[in-house]
Amino acid sequence: MIYVIRGLGEEYLDKNLKPSFKSGRILVSVWSYYYGDGIGPLAIIEKRRRITAKRYLETPKKYFILFYRRIVQKYGLGVVI
């Protein structure tokens, strides 16, 4: 049992709060795309790492060729992206 002695109106000051648990959350960034009536894969971008513009732009590069091939197969070579 924990007892806390505090003044009136001080119940939510940081010095009077004790964390009850850690959530264990894992942050995950994801990327996907859609086109016409189709959708692309859901890509997970490196777990537990901060996402930077450079890292974010690396993801579409990995999936663009497959995406383009699907579009060309569906709409023909004259497709404009």
Side-chain angles (χ1 to χ4, degrees):
M1 189 176 290
I2 297 174
Y3 291 96
V4 177
I5 299 172
R6 59 183 174 253
L8 187 61
E10 293 183 342
E11 56 269 0
Y12 297 113
L13 293 178
D14 285 340
K15 68 179 184 174
N16 296 327
L17 298 176
K18 180 179 179 187
S20 58
F21 69 97
K22 291 192 177 191
S23 70
R25 291 187 311 177
I26 296 175
L27 301 177
V28 178
S29 297
V30 295
W31 179 88
S32 190
Y33 59 86
Y34 61 92
Y35 60 94
D37 60 352
I39 58 172
L42 186 63
I44 296 174
I45 305 172
E46 300 181 44
K47 297 177 189 176
R48 296 180 186 228
R49 291 186 68 191
R50 291 193 73 175
I51 189 71
T52 62
K54 183 179 177 182
R55 223 175 261 133
Y56 178 82
L57 290 174
E58 288 170 0
T59 303
K61 287 178 186 176
K62 291 178 188 176
Y63 294 95
F64 182 76
I65 299 295
L66 294 173
F67 162 72
Y68 183 73
R69 286 181 183 156
R70 275 193 210 163
I71 297 297
V72 168
Q73 204 171 32
K74 187 168 187 171
Y75 298 106
L77 285 172
V79 68
V80 177
I81 296 180

PDB file of all heavy atoms in Angstrom, residues 25-43:
ATOM      1  N   ARG A  25       3.897  -1.096 -25.442  1.00  0.00           N
ATOM      2  CA  ARG A  25       3.550  -0.807 -26.835  1.00  0.00           C
ATOM      3  C   ARG A  25       4.769  -0.878 -27.736  1.00  0.00           C
ATOM      4  O   ARG A  25       5.872  -0.564 -27.338  1.00  0.00           O
ATOM      5  CB  ARG A  25       2.973   0.604 -26.965  1.00  0.00           C
ATOM      6  CG  ARG A  25       1.648   0.790 -26.360  1.00  0.00           C
ATOM      7  CD  ARG A  25       1.097   2.147 -26.680  1.00  0.00           C
ATOM      8  NE  ARG A  25       2.080   3.202 -26.402  1.00  0.00           N
ATOM      9  CZ  ARG A  25       1.867   4.474 -26.658  1.00  0.00           C
ATOM     10  NH1 ARG A  25       0.749   4.865 -27.190  1.00  0.00           N
ATOM     11  NH2 ARG A  25       2.780   5.376 -26.380  1.00  0.00           N
ATOM     12  N   ILE A  26       4.533  -1.275 -28.955  1.00  0.00           N
ATOM     13  CA  ILE A  26       5.558  -1.242 -29.986  1.00  0.00           C
ATOM     14  C   ILE A  26       5.027  -0.340 -31.095  1.00  0.00           C
ATOM     15  O   ILE A  26       3.923  -0.541 -31.594  1.00  0.00           O
ATOM     16  CB  ILE A  26       5.844  -2.649 -30.551  1.00  0.00           C
ATOM     17  CG1 ILE A  26       6.421  -3.530 -29.459  1.00  0.00           C
ATOM     18  CG2 ILE A  26       6.786  -2.560 -31.741  1.00  0.00           C
ATOM     19  CD1 ILE A  26       6.623  -4.967 -29.894  1.00  0.00           C
ATOM     20  N   LEU A  27       5.798   0.669 -31.427  1.00  0.00           N
ATOM     21  CA  LEU A  27       5.386   1.581 -32.482  1.00  0.00           C
ATOM     22  C   LEU A  27       5.783   1.001 -33.836  1.00  0.00           C
ATOM     23  O   LEU A  27       6.912   0.559 -34.016  1.00  0.00           O
ATOM     24  CB  LEU A  27       6.036   2.944 -32.291  1.00  0.00           C
ATOM     25  CG  LEU A  27       5.712   3.636 -30.974  1.00  0.00           C
ATOM     26  CD1 LEU A  27       6.472   4.948 -30.878  1.00  0.00           C
ATOM     27  CD2 LEU A  27       4.227   3.863 -30.845  1.00  0.00           C
ATOM     28  N   VAL A  28       4.844   1.014 -34.759  1.00  0.00           N
ATOM     29  CA  VAL A  28       5.080   0.468 -36.090  1.00  0.00           C
ATOM     30  C   VAL A  28       4.552   1.463 -37.108  1.00  0.00           C
ATOM     31  O   VAL A  28       3.422   1.919 -37.010  1.00  0.00           O
ATOM     32  CB  VAL A  28       4.352  -0.890 -36.271  1.00  0.00           C
ATOM     33  CG1 VAL A  28       4.559  -1.418 -37.676  1.00  0.00           C
ATOM     34  CG2 VAL A  28       4.815  -1.894 -35.245  1.00  0.00           C
ATOM     35  N   SER A  29       5.379   1.803 -38.072  1.00  0.00           N
ATOM     36  CA  SER A  29       4.931   2.645 -39.175  1.00  0.00           C
ATOM     37  C   SER A  29       4.573   1.733 -40.340  1.00  0.00           C
ATOM     38  O   SER A  29       5.258   0.743 -40.590  1.00  0.00           O
ATOM     39  CB  SER A  29       6.037   3.606 -39.603  1.00  0.00           C
ATOM     40  OG  SER A  29       6.359   4.482 -38.561  1.00  0.00           O
ATOM     41  N   VAL A  30       3.513   2.066 -41.028  1.00  0.00           N
ATOM     42  CA  VAL A  30       3.088   1.254 -42.166  1.00  0.00           C
ATOM     43  C   VAL A  30       2.903   2.129 -43.393  1.00  0.00           C
ATOM     44  O   VAL A  30       2.716   3.341 -43.289  1.00  0.00           O
ATOM     45  CB  VAL A  30       1.781   0.473 -41.875  1.00  0.00           C
ATOM     46  CG1 VAL A  30       1.986  -0.540 -40.783  1.00  0.00           C
ATOM     47  CG2 VAL A  30       0.658   1.421 -41.515  1.00  0.00           C
ATOM     48  N   TRP A  31       2.967   1.517 -44.552  1.00  0.00           N
ATOM     49  CA  TRP A  31       2.788   2.214 -45.819  1.00  0.00           C
ATOM     50  C   TRP A  31       2.001   1.313 -46.748  1.00  0.00           C
ATOM     51  O   TRP A  31       2.178   0.102 -46.763  1.00  0.00           O
ATOM     52  CB  TRP A  31       4.159   2.525 -46.423  1.00  0.00           C
ATOM     53  CG  TRP A  31       4.095   3.229 -47.736  1.00  0.00           C
ATOM     54  CD1 TRP A  31       4.035   4.571 -47.941  1.00  0.00           C
ATOM     55  CD2 TRP A  31       4.086   2.633 -49.033  1.00  0.00           C
ATOM     56  NE1 TRP A  31       3.992   4.841 -49.282  1.00  0.00           N
ATOM     57  CE2 TRP A  31       4.022   3.670 -49.970  1.00  0.00           C
ATOM     58  CE3 TRP A  31       4.122   1.313 -49.472  1.00  0.00           C
ATOM     59  CZ2 TRP A  31       3.999   3.435 -51.339  1.00  0.00           C
ATOM     60  CZ3 TRP A  31       4.090   1.080 -50.841  1.00  0.00           C
ATOM     61  CH2 TRP A  31       4.037   2.132 -51.754  1.00  0.00           C
ATOM     62  N   SER A  32       1.123   1.923 -47.524  1.00  0.00           N
ATOM     63  CA  SER A  32       0.386   1.188 -48.539  1.00  0.00           C
ATOM     64  C   SER A  32      -0.023   2.154 -49.636  1.00  0.00           C
ATOM     65  O   SER A  32       0.275   3.343 -49.562  1.00  0.00           O
ATOM     66  CB  SER A  32      -0.840   0.506 -47.938  1.00  0.00           C
ATOM     67  OG  SER A  32      -1.406  -0.379 -48.895  1.00  0.00           O
ATOM     68  N   TYR A  33      -0.716   1.670 -50.632  1.00  0.00           N
ATOM     69  CA  TYR A  33      -1.196   2.528 -51.704  1.00  0.00           C
ATOM     70  C   TYR A  33      -2.490   1.965 -52.266  1.00  0.00           C
ATOM     71  O   TYR A  33      -2.839   0.815 -52.019  1.00  0.00           O
ATOM     72  CB  TYR A  33      -0.155   2.676 -52.822  1.00  0.00           C
ATOM     73  CG  TYR A  33       0.239   1.366 -53.454  1.00  0.00           C
ATOM     74  CD1 TYR A  33      -0.503   0.826 -54.490  1.00  0.00           C
ATOM     75  CD2 TYR A  33       1.356   0.684 -53.022  1.00  0.00           C
ATOM     76  CE1 TYR A  33      -0.151  -0.374 -55.073  1.00  0.00           C
ATOM     77  CE2 TYR A  33       1.731  -0.520 -53.600  1.00  0.00           C
ATOM     78  CZ  TYR A  33       0.966  -1.044 -54.620  1.00  0.00           C
ATOM     79  OH  TYR A  33       1.328  -2.226 -55.190  1.00  0.00           O
ATOM     80  N   TYR A  34      -3.171   2.797 -52.993  1.00  0.00           N
ATOM     81  CA  TYR A  34      -4.363   2.352 -53.706  1.00  0.00           C
ATOM     82  C   TYR A  34      -4.370   3.007 -55.076  1.00  0.00           C
ATOM     83  O   TYR A  34      -3.740   4.037 -55.294  1.00  0.00           O
ATOM     84  CB  TYR A  34      -5.647   2.677 -52.942  1.00  0.00           C
ATOM     85  CG  TYR A  34      -5.863   4.136 -52.705  1.00  0.00           C
ATOM     86  CD1 TYR A  34      -6.592   4.907 -53.607  1.00  0.00           C
ATOM     87  CD2 TYR A  34      -5.336   4.763 -51.584  1.00  0.00           C
ATOM     88  CE1 TYR A  34      -6.801   6.255 -53.399  1.00  0.00           C
ATOM     89  CE2 TYR A  34      -5.538   6.109 -51.370  1.00  0.00           C
ATOM     90  CZ  TYR A  34      -6.270   6.846 -52.270  1.00  0.00           C
ATOM     91  OH  TYR A  34      -6.465   8.183 -52.063  1.00  0.00           O
ATOM     92  N   TYR A  35      -5.061   2.390 -55.996  1.00  0.00           N
ATOM     93  CA  TYR A  35      -5.154   2.904 -57.356  1.00  0.00           C
ATOM     94  C   TYR A  35      -6.444   2.391 -57.965  1.00  0.00           C
ATOM     95  O   TYR A  35      -6.834   1.256 -57.728  1.00  0.00           O
ATOM     96  CB  TYR A  35      -3.959   2.453 -58.198  1.00  0.00           C
ATOM     97  CG  TYR A  35      -3.846   0.963 -58.298  1.00  0.00           C
ATOM     98  CD1 TYR A  35      -4.408   0.281 -59.375  1.00  0.00           C
ATOM     99  CD2 TYR A  35      -3.229   0.220 -57.304  1.00  0.00           C
ATOM    100  CE1 TYR A  35      -4.336  -1.103 -59.465  1.00  0.00           C
ATOM    101  CE2 TYR A  35      -3.143  -1.165 -57.393  1.00  0.00           C
ATOM    102  CZ  TYR A  35      -3.696  -1.817 -58.470  1.00  0.00           C
ATOM    103  OH  TYR A  35      -3.629  -3.179 -58.558  1.00  0.00           O
ATOM    104  N   GLY A  36      -7.107   3.208 -58.728  1.00  0.00           N
ATOM    105  CA  GLY A  36      -8.343   2.773 -59.371  1.00  0.00           C
ATOM    106  C   GLY A  36      -9.214   1.996 -58.404  1.00  0.00           C
ATOM    107  O   GLY A  36      -9.637   2.504 -57.390  1.00  0.00           O
ATOM    108  N   ASP A  37      -9.426   0.723 -58.701  1.00  0.00           N
ATOM    109  CA  ASP A  37     -10.228  -0.117 -57.819  1.00  0.00           C
ATOM    110  C   ASP A  37      -9.367  -1.167 -57.106  1.00  0.00           C
ATOM    111  O   ASP A  37      -9.871  -2.162 -56.606  1.00  0.00           O
ATOM    112  CB  ASP A  37     -11.352  -0.791 -58.587  1.00  0.00           C
ATOM    113  CG  ASP A  37     -10.831  -1.681 -59.707  1.00  0.00           C
ATOM    114  OD1 ASP A  37      -9.611  -1.646 -59.984  1.00  0.00           O
ATOM    115  OD2 ASP A  37     -11.632  -2.403 -60.305  1.00  0.00           O
ATOM    116  N   GLY A  38      -8.055  -0.940 -57.048  1.00  0.00           N
ATOM    117  CA  GLY A  38      -7.161  -1.912 -56.411  1.00  0.00           C
ATOM    118  C   GLY A  38      -6.416  -1.318 -55.229  1.00  0.00           C
ATOM    119  O   GLY A  38      -6.377  -0.105 -55.047  1.00  0.00           O
ATOM    120  N   ILE A  39      -5.850  -2.201 -54.438  1.00  0.00           N
ATOM    121  CA  ILE A  39      -5.027  -1.759 -53.316  1.00  0.00           C
ATOM    122  C   ILE A  39      -3.716  -2.531 -53.329  1.00  0.00           C
ATOM    123  O   ILE A  39      -3.636  -3.643 -53.815  1.00  0.00           O
ATOM    124  CB  ILE A  39      -5.729  -1.958 -51.954  1.00  0.00           C
ATOM    125  CG1 ILE A  39      -6.096  -3.425 -51.744  1.00  0.00           C
ATOM    126  CG2 ILE A  39      -6.931  -1.069 -51.813  1.00  0.00           C
ATOM    127  CD1 ILE A  39      -6.607  -3.739 -50.365  1.00  0.00           C
ATOM    128  N   GLY A  40      -2.699  -1.911 -52.777  1.00  0.00           N
ATOM    129  CA  GLY A  40      -1.388  -2.539 -52.714  1.00  0.00           C
ATOM    130  C   GLY A  40      -1.174  -3.226 -51.375  1.00  0.00           C
ATOM    131  O   GLY A  40      -2.040  -3.211 -50.508  1.00  0.00           O
ATOM    132  N   PRO A  41       0.006  -3.795 -51.191  1.00  0.00           N
ATOM    133  CA  PRO A  41       0.309  -4.482 -49.941  1.00  0.00           C
ATOM    134  C   PRO A  41       0.498  -3.489 -48.799  1.00  0.00           C
ATOM    135  O   PRO A  41       0.789  -2.318 -49.020  1.00  0.00           O
ATOM    136  CB  PRO A  41       1.624  -5.197 -50.239  1.00  0.00           C
ATOM    137  CG  PRO A  41       2.272  -4.354 -51.281  1.00  0.00           C
ATOM    138  CD  PRO A  41       1.145  -3.825 -52.114  1.00  0.00           C
ATOM    139  N   LEU A  42       0.329  -3.960 -47.599  1.00  0.00           N
ATOM    140  CA  LEU A  42       0.586  -3.157 -46.412  1.00  0.00           C
ATOM    141  C   LEU A  42       2.016  -3.460 -45.987  1.00  0.00           C
ATOM    142  O   LEU A  42       2.332  -4.582 -45.599  1.00  0.00           O
ATOM    143  CB  LEU A  42      -0.403  -3.535 -45.300  1.00  0.00           C
ATOM    144  CG  LEU A  42      -0.360  -2.696 -44.050  1.00  0.00           C
ATOM    145  CD1 LEU A  42      -0.728  -1.249 -44.354  1.00  0.00           C
ATOM    146  CD2 LEU A  42      -1.307  -3.270 -43.018  1.00  0.00           C
ATOM    147  N   ALA A  43       2.888  -2.471 -46.094  1.00  0.00           N
ATOM    148  CA  ALA A  43       4.305  -2.671 -45.785  1.00  0.00           C
ATOM    149  C   ALA A  43       4.608  -2.140 -44.390  1.00  0.00           C
ATOM    150  O   ALA A  43       4.215  -1.029 -44.049  1.00  0.00           O
ATOM    151  CB  ALA A  43       5.161  -1.945 -46.809  1.00  0.00           C
TER     152      ALA A  43
END
